[in-house]
Every structure is written in C-alpha cells, then in structure tokens.
Amino acid sequence: KPPSTPPPPSPPPLPPDVSLQPDRIYAGVLSTIRILGTAIGVNNTVVFLESGTSSCTGAAAAQYDQGDRVNDNRDVHIELTMVATYKMCVSDRLLPRFDEEHFEFVSSVLLRVDPAPPPSRPPWPPPPPASPPPSAPPPPPPP
C-alpha cells in the first residue's frame, strides 16, 4: 500500500467583511466614516493605529483619541492629526476597554490620512459697478 499523502493545506481565511466609506480623510479634520459590511456591529469600538504590524498594541490607550464607538447609523467620528496610513482594530466589549487583548486587528481595512488642503481663499472683491454713461447735455428749451 503506498504511503498516504498529507491533505492539501486549507485556504487562508477570508478577510473580514468590512470596508470604510470614505477610506481617505484629511489630517486634523473631524470626519464621519461609515462602517460597511457585516464584521463590525453597532456599539463595537474601532481604533485606528499607524499601520505596519498586525498588532493592536496601543489600541486601549488610543481608543479615546483615535477611535470611536460605532453608532446606530454605523458611523464613527474620527479626527487623526498625523498624515499616515492607519490600520483598524476593533473590540466588541462594552466600555471600559482597558485591555489590549480585547482588540482585534482587521486585516481588510486601511484608512489613509492625507494632508489637509490649504484654506480656500476668499473670493476676489467684486469689480466696482460700471459707471453710468455720461449724460448728454439737456436739449435746448424750445423757442
């Protein structure tokens, strides 16, 4: 009897069903971000940390400055001050969430924070009103 071959490796798990709209915001601007998909529920807490690792170390400490609770509209309100690409960590625990292990890395989401656009200039002052045409001298009185 030939030796049995090991079963093929199982495929990697699918990424969580979640996306952000928008997935780009401006630094220093309070933004409303809609959480789309089924992986994150109302009252979950999401925290955005600088990307680069799959760890959520720092999420508990950053939850009030770089995170928010998902509201009934599935929105979070976020203001990030540093231009960077951020990963998302989520906790389904109710407050307080002091422990790092309550946060899980969401591999399918990145949030890009771009430099804020320069303030728009006020419009140029309008041109002065056109002068009325010079008036013609009055006609001479009839004789």
Side-chain angles (χ1 to χ4, degrees):
K1 176 177 170 181
S4 64
T5 58
S10 55
L14 293 173
D17 176 25
V18 63
S19 61
L20 306 177
Q21 187 168 354
D23 62 359
R24 293 181 95 100
I25 62 173
Y26 289 119
V29 176
L30 181 62
S31 302
T32 299
I33 300 172
R34 173 83 24 106
I35 307 291
L36 303 172
T38 59
I40 296 178
V42 171
N43 292 325
N44 286 180
T45 295
V46 297
V47 177
F48 294 94
L49 301 173
E50 214 176 325
S51 66
T53 70
S54 60
S55 162
C56 286
T57 300
Q63 65 184 307
Y64 300 106
D65 295 330
Q66 295 178 205
D68 195 16
R69 182 183 58 81
V70 179
N71 68 22
D72 291 339
N73 295 326
R74 302 188 55 76
D75 294 334
V76 292
H77 304 284
I78 300 291
E79 181 178 348
L80 298 170
T81 57
M82 197 167 72
V83 173
T85 299
Y86 291 81
K87 63 187 173 189
M88 187 169 75
C89 295
V90 63
S91 173
D92 61 1
R93 302 285 179 110
L94 296 175
L95 285 170
R97 300 172 192 88
F98 296 117
D99 298 324
E100 299 295 326
E101 67 264 12
H102 292 166
F103 287 89
E104 293 180 31
F105 170 60
V106 180
S107 62
S108 60
V109 170
L110 288 175
L111 177 66
R112 287 170 182 80
V113 178
D114 295 326
S120 60
R121 287 189 190 176
W124 290 101
S131 305
S135 53

